[in-house]
Amino acid sequence: MEKYKSLHLWMIVPMSFMQFGIFRDYWGDFSDNAWSVHVHYWTGTAWYLYLILQPYWATHGQLARHRTNGIIGMFLAGGVCITALSMMHRDLLNAQHAAEKANDFGPFQPWFFMGVAAVEIVMMLAFGFAIIQSIIHRKKLENHAWWLISTVFIIMMPALGRGVQNIYVGLHADQWPNINIMTPIYYANIMIIAMLLLGAYKYNKLRHPATYLALIVNLFNCFVGVLGHSEQVQNFLKYLIKG
């Protein structure tokens, strides 16, 4: 327990990166966001806050509070997963709008939104799997804790990716619409993987299955372009995701 006493402080780092990434997209057009966007943002934010508070309570003599809030936390985790999946039809709508109004979307062509939808399915399935594993291993502190921590790195990409992408597009605005929008996605994934491996090294979890899962998910995220251009993937998404 002693080595986890500062974990709550370390968890502020990924929380900050997530909030930085999503800040402009969410708060920039706050009143125009759909209800589902608000629900997902706040459940996701609450989940990150829980991953700061829970380690603090567990390592500072408040185990009863930790256990009680852990039950509430599982409810929140389900909300994060379900609300993310429920928003995926928006990706397909964006792909449709990008095809119809290509001049407005510039470098954001239909394939990009299709690719995002494809990786988000894998991302949320992995998130759900990690949550279930944390429940299964709830009596084994080290495994329980690291499965939960891994969820931060599994679902960070959409938020951080948007933030890095906004900066990158802004810096290359003079090249619009000829901007490689995949480059910032790679940068964001490198940042997430670096944080993941740094944390895994600090807590001796480099060879933990949760670390492998988070690493695989973020490497998979790099295939947004390949997946988005695939006609088979596009047809599958259109068949699976209905409005």
Side-chain angles (χ1 to χ4, degrees):
M1 293 285 282
E2 192 65 28
K3 72 176 181 179
Y4 289 108
K5 279 208 166 182
S6 62
L7 177 59
H8 65 287
L9 296 175
W10 189 83
M11 291 303 292
I12 294 174
V13 175
M15 170 72 167
S16 301
F17 272 86
M18 187 275 283
Q19 290 294 336
F20 153 76
I22 202 66
F23 186 87
R24 180 180 173 186
D25 269 8
Y26 182 69
W27 295 103
D29 56 352
F30 180 86
S31 61
D32 294 328
N33 285 322
W35 172 249
S36 59
V37 174
H38 291 299
V39 174
H40 181 61
Y41 172 83
W42 287 108
T43 53
T45 298
W47 176 248
Y48 272 63
L49 287 172
Y50 258 69
L51 292 181
I52 295 172
L53 293 171
Q54 283 292 81
Y56 176 82
W57 288 327
T59 57
H60 288 74
Q62 300 184 55
L63 279 174
R65 178 175 288 181
H66 172 83
R67 293 190 185 101
T68 299
N69 282 278
I71 298 171
I72 300 172
M74 293 303 104
F75 171 79
L76 276 176
V80 172
C81 190
I82 297 303
T83 55
L85 291 172
S86 71
M87 288 172 56
M88 291 184 59
H89 186 255
R90 191 177 65 154
D91 293 327
L92 271 63
L93 284 178
N94 283 334
Q96 180 182 333
H97 294 157
E100 296 170 349
K101 303 175 182 178
N103 291 335
D104 294 339
F105 283 78
F108 295 93
Q109 298 175 29
W111 64 261
F112 174 74
F113 299 106
M114 287 293 190
V116 168
V119 299
E120 282 182 345
I121 290 176
V122 174
M123 199 182 305
M124 297 319 300
L125 289 176
F127 175 84
F129 178 80
I131 294 297
I132 291 171
Q133 287 298 309
S134 76
I135 296 171
I136 292 172
H137 296 284
R138 64 190 179 279
K139 294 184 179 180
K140 299 176 181 177
L141 176 62
E142 298 253 343
N143 283 332
H144 170 74
W146 196 251
W147 275 112
L148 288 174
I149 292 166
S150 72
T151 64
V152 170
F153 306 106
I154 289 172
I155 63 171
M156 190 186 296
M157 179 58 208
L160 184 58
R162 288 175 191 171
V164 176
Q165 202 170 55
N166 285 336
I167 293 174
Y168 186 87
V169 170
L171 291 173
H172 297 82
D174 59 324
Q175 299 173 27
W176 184 275
N178 301 312
I179 301 173
N180 187 340
I181 54 174
M182 282 305 300
T183 299
I185 297 296
Y186 300 142
Y187 288 158
N189 275 299
I190 290 171
M191 293 166 67
I192 296 170
I193 290 172
M195 285 186 280
L196 166 68
L197 295 180
L198 179 63
Y201 175 78
K202 176 178 175 59
Y203 293 103
N204 195 28
K205 292 293 184 291
L206 283 172
R207 297 186 177 183
H208 194 281
T211 304
Y212 294 149
L213 179 63
L215 178 60
I216 290 169
V217 168
N218 281 285
L219 291 175
F220 184 74
N221 289 341
C222 294
F223 290 89
V224 165
V226 175
L227 294 166
H229 281 102
S230 170
E231 186 176 343
Q232 290 79 9
V233 171
Q234 292 182 17
N235 290 335
F236 172 74
L237 291 172
K238 290 175 183 177
Y239 173 80
L240 180 67
I241 304 170
K242 305 295 183 181

